[in-house]
Amino acid sequence: MAGTIVVDRIESDASYASNINVASQITFSNTVNFGITSVIPVAGFYSPSTNNVAFTTASTERMRINASGNLQINNLGLGATTPSTSGTGITFPATASASSDANTLDDYEEGSWTPTLGGNTTYSVQEGKYTRIGNFVYAVGIVVVTTLGTGSTTTLSGLPFTSAVQSNRFPGSIAFYSSIAVSIVTMYCFTNNNSVTVQFGTVASSQSGTDDTRAIFGNSAHVQFSICYRV
């Protein structure tokens, strides 16, 4: 049939099994009550158990509202994003669609990055991982230099996102270091604003303060670090 059907009430009856095919719409002025059934529609909704409503496509349940009013769904793609077919979760767009609402999570991403000193430096280990949640990025990295060559002695580049513009720098932490090019008391790292680099600084035994320019990377230098910054 085609057109509009105005219905006051429809109740299921277990003694009947049939289909109603509508080309346009059905408007209900009151309620629709579903009987429990194990028959899964090709595409539609049904009641698989008491006080549960399930939605289907391709004869497979995709979403359910349970008796407690909770929504159960396997995967969710935001915007025009196609949901992941691997595991269960929420898929965000590859390029964030930024929201001005302070209470809206508009981005999530996990991935790898390659910390580099530039030049012709060679490495035995050169690894990085990151997680972005909203406008913050948490990145970790490990470099073990084989030969420094013409690479930087203070700065690693390659962070996955450019840091935000602000007056102060973003601090990081050092988990481990060995075989660095200078004798020091301690070492620290940070990311400057509007940057994709991690800069390393030191405090030497003869210093009363920090030094961001002292050469630390050389042949065989090994550094493990993390950095958290806003984008």
Side-chain angles (χ1 to χ4, degrees), residues 76-83 90-97 105-106:
L76 176 65
L78 301 183
T81 303
T82 300
I90 300 172
T91 303
F92 286 80
T95 300
S97 178
L105 177 61
D106 56 20

Side-chain angles (χ1 to χ4, degrees), residues 7-25:
V7 182
D8 177 67
R9 186 180 184 89
I10 294 179
E11 293 187 2
S12 65
D13 188 327
S15 63
Y16 293 93
S18 60
N19 296 313
I20 300 176
N21 298 317
V22 182
S24 184
Q25 67 179 26

Side-chain angles (χ1 to χ4, degrees), residues 138-139 141 143 154 156 171-178 180 184 186-190 198-202 216-217 222-227:
Y138 177 72
V143 291
T154 61
L156 285 165
S173 61
I174 307 294
F176 176 85
Y177 65 86
S178 67
I180 61 173
I184 62 172
T186 190
M187 185 165 66
Y188 57 91
C189 66
F190 60 91
V198 181
Q199 187 169 341
F200 293 80
T202 62
I216 61 169
F217 288 104
H222 179 172
V223 177
Q224 301 179 21
F225 63 95
S226 64
I227 193 84

